[in-house]
Amino acid sequence: QVQLVESGGGLVQPGGSLRISCAVSGSIFSNNGLAWYRQAAGKQRELVAGITAGGYTNYAASVTGRFTISRDNAKNTVYLQMNSLKPEDTAVYYCRMVGVWGQGTQVTVSS
């Protein structure tokens, strides 16, 4: 059974950086893409970034140039490096692979 576990969230000041991780159990990791989503309070969940099995990436316009998604197939882990963070990036961040969601990790950007 596939399980996804996010980690690395926390409180950061505006302009700061944070890296969150998504560890995937099971043998499917290297053959599948993964996406990061986020959901702010009172808002719909939105796609933030995605990465294919071959390493191709795509980003939401709101994070392009600030966020970088990457994967380490040896560790079954996908990362989201977030730089130049803004208060509007505050949300619970979720990863998703083959229709399975992680439990989410809270990212709060505030002074």
Side-chain angles (χ1 to χ4, degrees):
Q1 185 171 350
V2 177
Q3 289 187 323
L4 286 73
V5 179
E6 301 95 335
S7 62
L11 174 64
V12 62
Q13 292 187 342
S17 298
L18 200 63
R19 189 179 78 163
I20 56 178
S21 303
C22 176
V24 181
S25 65
S27 60
I28 65 162
F29 182 84
S30 61
N31 294 324
N32 287 279
L34 183 142
W36 282 101
Y37 291 76
R38 67 186 180 187
Q39 188 166 18
K43 295 187 177 181
Q44 289 189 332
R45 193 171 297 190
E46 62 176 358
L47 177 66
V48 176
I51 186 166
T52 68
Y56 290 99
T57 60
N58 65 284
Y59 299 93
S62 59
V63 306
T64 297
R66 299 188 298 122
F67 289 13
T68 302
I69 188 171
S70 61
R71 63 188 296 155
D72 185 338
N73 288 344
K75 295 183 178 180
N76 278 20
T77 301
V78 172
Y79 304 98
L80 186 67
Q81 176 68 43
M82 304 182 289
N83 299 328
S84 302
L85 283 161
K86 305 174 182 180
E88 51 263 45
D89 294 317
T90 295
V92 179
Y93 284 70
Y94 300 89
C95 57
R96 181 175 184 264
M97 176 179 276
V98 293
V100 179
W101 294 92
Q103 84 288 351
T105 187
Q106 175 71 47
V107 173
T108 302
V109 184
S110 175
S111 56

